[in-house]
Amino acid sequence: MPKVPKLAQSEWKVMRVLWASDKPMPAYDIIQKLSATTDWQPKTIKTLLNRLLKKGAVRFKRYKNLYLYYPLLTEAACVKAESDSFVKRCFDGALEPMLAHFVQQRKLKPSEIQELKRILDVKESCN
């Protein structure tokens, strides 16, 4: 898998459209999907696709007169890279203060607390 580049928030939106599709998509379809949730012009979306091409996050293949775009990176790989970067920048790479911060700052439902406990129990049993 290629090195995961830093993605801008707008690029994440484009990538999410591509990840949601099980096949390569023409720019027209990407523009249609993003037009439903953003006020971006088609030219803006094409610019974002070109940025993602240059970063190595997507590729295209030609089919007749269409360029069909598809992701080179998985969503999981991008989320991991972004999460690792966030933890390093904001918490000096330490998970405990990060987790404590979010647990203390957010209102959690009992079901969310139970799920966090379950995840930690599974993690503890694997060590």
Side-chain angles (χ1 to χ4, degrees):
M1 173 151 311
K3 182 179 180 286
V4 179
K6 179 99 172 103
L7 299 178
Q9 186 173 351
S10 54
E11 294 166 342
W12 274 91
K13 289 182 180 186
V14 175
M15 292 298 290
R16 284 193 178 104
V17 168
L18 293 170
W19 288 323
S21 178
D22 58 347
K23 58 186 180 227
M25 298 178 72
Y28 176 81
D29 289 353
I30 298 167
I31 290 166
Q32 290 296 106
K33 293 224 182 256
L34 288 168
S35 293
T37 59
T38 69
D39 59 355
W40 297 342
Q41 297 299 312
K43 187 174 180 179
T44 301
I45 297 168
K46 288 179 182 178
T47 298
L48 291 170
L49 282 167
N50 282 323
R51 275 197 221 159
L52 290 166
L53 280 164
K54 287 178 184 170
K55 289 183 176 187
V58 301
R59 277 211 182 124
F60 68 85
K61 59 184 176 183
R62 285 194 72 164
Y63 176 74
K64 298 185 181 181
N65 64 339
L66 294 176
Y67 288 90
L68 302 175
Y69 294 89
Y70 59 95
L72 285 180
L73 306 169
T74 65
E75 185 173 11
C78 291
V79 168
K80 181 183 182 325
E82 189 71 24
S83 300
D84 290 347
S85 173
F86 171 77
V87 172
K88 285 177 192 164
R89 278 191 331 273
C90 297
F91 297 95
D92 210 21
L95 287 176
E96 183 182 337
M98 184 211 62
L99 184 58
H101 169 78
F102 284 110
V103 168
Q104 291 167 355
Q105 296 299 317
R106 302 284 177 132
K107 183 166 176 56
L108 297 172
K109 298 177 198 165
S111 61
E112 293 170 322
I113 293 169
Q114 284 305 114
E115 180 62 10
L116 286 171
K117 286 179 181 179
R118 187 194 67 73
I119 292 167
L120 290 170
D121 287 344
V122 168
K123 185 70 173 176
E124 185 177 49
S125 68
C126 292
N127 288 343

